[in-house]
Structure formats: C-alpha cells, structure tokens
C-alpha cells in the first residue's frame, strides 16, 4: 500500500520533504499540497516533476479523502491549528518544530490527542534519527561510560541574518538540543540559567551572541550548551557526555582528511541541511512506516510540549540572569505506550 500524503506549506523545508517523499523514500507519495502562494507551490511541483493537487487552504488538504496522512511544514504560527485539525480528522500528522508557539498551545495538542485515544502526532525533531546521536545513545544506554554526570555541548552556525534576535537562539536554535538531550539522558530539566559572554563583533544590536545555557536535570546531571550563531568558520554541532567511568563524544561527520600545501585538514560543513540530510530521510521513512503499521514511535506531542516548557524557562532566564525552574508536569501514561 502506498501512503498518500498531503503537505501543508511549500516553502524550503516543505519542498525538501516533498522531494524526499516522492523521489527518495519508499511506500509513500505526495498527492496534495497547499500554500498561501498557490502559483509558487505549482511552480515548485513542476520543478520537482511531481503531480499533486494544489490548494490555497491547508484545511482542504486535511479534509481531502485522497489524503491518508499530513505533513505540516507551513509558517510556525499555523502549526497548532493544522495539527489540531488533523487530529480532529483522525489523520496521522508529522509537524515540523515547533509544534505550537507556546507551551499552552502544545498542551492543547497533547490534550486533543489523548482525547482521541491514539497517537497521531509526530514532531519534526530529527536528531534522534542521526546516526551519530544514535551511536552516542547506544553507548549511554548500554552503560559504556557509567551513569552520565555532565554534558558539554555546542551549536554553532557560520552566520545568521539581522532578522535573527536574541530570543531566537532559544526558539530556533537551542530547541533541537532541548529535545535531543532529554532523549539522550532519559531525563527532564529541573532548572536553567543563561549566561552572556563578551559579544562577538560579527553580531548586531538585537542579538547577544554567543550565549551559554546551563541546565540541571531532575537526576542532577549538569549540562552546558554553547550557542554561537556567528562563529564564522562553519556549522558545528558538538556533544560530549562525561560519565562515571568514561567519556563519549558525538562522532564528527564523515570527511576526507587532506595532506596538502603543508597542512593536515578536514572540511567542516557550513549548511545544516548537509549535516542532517540523512537524518531527515530516516525520520520521514520511519514516520511513513509507523503510519502504515498503525503505531507512531517517533518524537511525540509530549516531547514537543516538554521542549516548549524548557524553552519558555530559557527565555525567562535570558531576561532575569537568574536560575529559573523548569516546571514539567508528570508525563501522562498515554505516552508510555509503544
């Protein structure tokens, strides 16, 4: 059976997902697309050599009898609306992060899904599908370094536009660490503090860059994450886990080592899409397979809610400079189902 997908939002990430679902992955095809720019969506499909119905309204995609499952890749403020509509229609939905613009919005999605009685939502956190993070998780789970005590992490981008502001370091950048570090440690955050070092000359008036975010988890693990979005030299993701009996580091992306012009060197990536392109493929293939099997297993609406609660605490910590609590309610038993 071929899973028939409807994609809401035909911007950059939407077009990437349309391409991979039709041309790279197995068992699915895109049959309907919506975007506020209908002509742009049609042009994108033509470039990709894909035939699909095009709508101006995402709700038409959700209600189409030809569509089995939904991919929400539209403007962030619309994610909650379309995800709730998909749940109401009883259709599985893959929603790119953020699930909603607030923890309250994420909680509404959680409550709607629980009321429906079956998992229908997967959030687009792709790092747990990255081969390097999976290898790191395996070492931790199998006790290869004992119990984790500390994590040292970094999220560096070569540059960001002037529209990027201090709060976006949390909501657009750190949001990935907020999810994947919970997954790595199997632990929730207890508190957070944000520290601002000297500002780089490559920043601008509305962006304090870099930032250091300091977490304590419920089990007492200490985590520091450097966010440096104008580092200039490349796109660089680092994660080191210090355990009781050893240290495990996230593998570097594969790169040819060069000996040339009296230098020993390896290339550093500059584009996040190149760093995680395989993870996106694995992530969406898993969603397709899970929908066909009748049970989602990827990042859940609860994971989206947890990341949003932590992000809200980080934003408060940016303003206060104090150690702020991360107040997570108990996870509903509904999300213990596998």
């Amino acid at each position: 059976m071929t899973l028939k997908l409807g994609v809401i939002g035909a911007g950059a990430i939407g077009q990437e997902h349309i391409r991979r679902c039709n041309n790279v992955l197995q068992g699915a095809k895109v049959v309907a697309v919506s975007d506020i720019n209908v002509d742009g969506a049609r042009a994108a499909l033509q470039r990709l050599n894909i035939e699909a119905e095009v709508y101006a309204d995402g709700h038409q995609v959700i209600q189409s009898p030809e569509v089995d499952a939904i991919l929400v890749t539209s403007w962030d403020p619309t994610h909650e609306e379309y995800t709730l509509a998909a749940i109401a229609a009883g259709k599985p939905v893959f929603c790119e992060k953020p699930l909603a613009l607030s923890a309250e919005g994420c909680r509404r999605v959680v409550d709607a899904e629980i009321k429906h009685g079956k998992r229908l939502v997967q959030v687009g956190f792709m790092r747990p599908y990255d081969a390097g993070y999976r290898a790191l998780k395996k070492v931790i789970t199998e006790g290869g370094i004992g119990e984790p005590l500390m994590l040292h992490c970094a999220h560096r981008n070569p540059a960001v536009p002037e529209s990027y502001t201090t709060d976006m370091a949390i909501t657009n950048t750190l949001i990935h660490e907020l999810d994947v570090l919970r997954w790595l440690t199997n632990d929730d955050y207890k508190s957070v503090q944000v520290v601002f070092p000297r500002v780089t000359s490559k920043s601008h008036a509305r962006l304090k860059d870099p930032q250091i975010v300091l977490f304590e988890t419920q089990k007492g693990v200490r985590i520091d994450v450097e966010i440096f979005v104008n580092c200039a030299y490349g796109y660089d993701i680092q994660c080191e886990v210090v355990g009781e009996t050893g240290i495990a580091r996230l593998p570097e992306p594969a790169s040819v080592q060069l000996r040339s012009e009296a230098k020993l060197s390896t290339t550093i990536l500059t584009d996040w899409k190149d760093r995680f392109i395989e993870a996106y493929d694995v992530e969406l293939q898993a969603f397709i397979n899970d929908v066909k099997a009748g049970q989602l297993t990827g990042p859940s609406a609860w994971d989206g809610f947890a990341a949003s609660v932590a992000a809200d605490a980080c934003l408060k910590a940016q303003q206060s400079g104090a150690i702020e609590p991360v107040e997570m309610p108990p996870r509903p038993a509904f999300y213990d189902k596998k």
Side-chain angles (χ1 to χ4, degrees), residues 65-141:
E66 295 300 311
V67 171
D68 302 318
I70 308 297
L71 270 58
V72 176
T73 57
S74 51
W75 189 41
D76 289 358
T78 66
H79 287 191
E80 178 187 350
E81 173 189 348
Y82 289 134
T83 301
L84 288 171
I87 293 171
K91 294 185 177 183
V93 52
F94 176 96
C95 180
E96 275 297 345
K97 60 87 182 168
L99 178 61
L101 291 184
S102 66
E104 291 80 7
C106 292
R107 189 66 202 235
R108 284 190 288 269
V109 174
V110 165
D111 291 343
E113 187 177 43
I114 292 174
K115 184 177 180 181
H116 177 78
K118 180 182 179 181
R119 269 202 62 186
L120 288 177
V121 179
Q122 178 169 329
V123 182
F125 291 125
M126 78 297 192
R127 290 201 189 175
Y129 295 95
D130 175 69
Y133 274 108
R134 289 195 169 210
L136 189 56
K137 173 75 168 178
K138 187 172 186 287
V139 169
I140 297 169
T141 301

Side-chain angles (χ1 to χ4, degrees), residues 63-213:
Q63 295 301 323
S64 170
E66 295 300 311
V67 171
D68 302 318
I70 308 297
L71 270 58
V72 176
T73 57
S74 51
W75 189 41
D76 289 358
T78 66
H79 287 191
E80 178 187 350
E81 173 189 348
Y82 289 134
T83 301
L84 288 171
I87 293 171
K91 294 185 177 183
V93 52
F94 176 96
C95 180
E96 275 297 345
K97 60 87 182 168
L99 178 61
L101 291 184
S102 66
E104 291 80 7
C106 292
R107 189 66 202 235
R108 284 190 288 269
V109 174
V110 165
D111 291 343
E113 187 177 43
I114 292 174
K115 184 177 180 181
H116 177 78
K118 180 182 179 181
R119 269 202 62 186
L120 288 177
V121 179
Q122 178 169 329
V123 182
F125 291 125
M126 78 297 192
R127 290 201 189 175
Y129 295 95
D130 175 69
Y133 274 108
R134 289 195 169 210
L136 189 56
K137 173 75 168 178
K138 187 172 186 287
V139 169
I140 297 169
T141 301
E142 293 180 352
I145 57 170
E147 288 296 319
L149 305 175
M150 298 175 284
L151 278 72
H152 307 299
C153 309
H155 188 144
R156 304 182 184 120
N157 293 65
V160 291
E162 290 208 5
S163 57
Y164 187 106
T165 53
T166 299
D167 60 306
M168 292 172 69
I170 304 298
T171 58
N172 283 48
T173 301
L174 182 72
I175 194 71
H176 289 288
E177 275 77 15
L178 291 177
D179 176 70
V180 78
L181 299 181
R182 283 181 66 248
W183 174 76
L184 274 178
T185 60
N186 193 30
D187 198 3
D188 278 318
Y189 305 111
K190 180 180 179 180
S191 66
V192 63
Q193 183 179 20
V194 179
V195 177
F196 294 100
R198 178 182 175 182
V199 175
T200 174
S201 62
K202 298 183 182 300
S203 189
H204 58 81
R206 295 188 299 146
L207 172 60
K208 294 181 179 179
D209 184 43
Q211 303 177 34
I212 300 172
V213 186

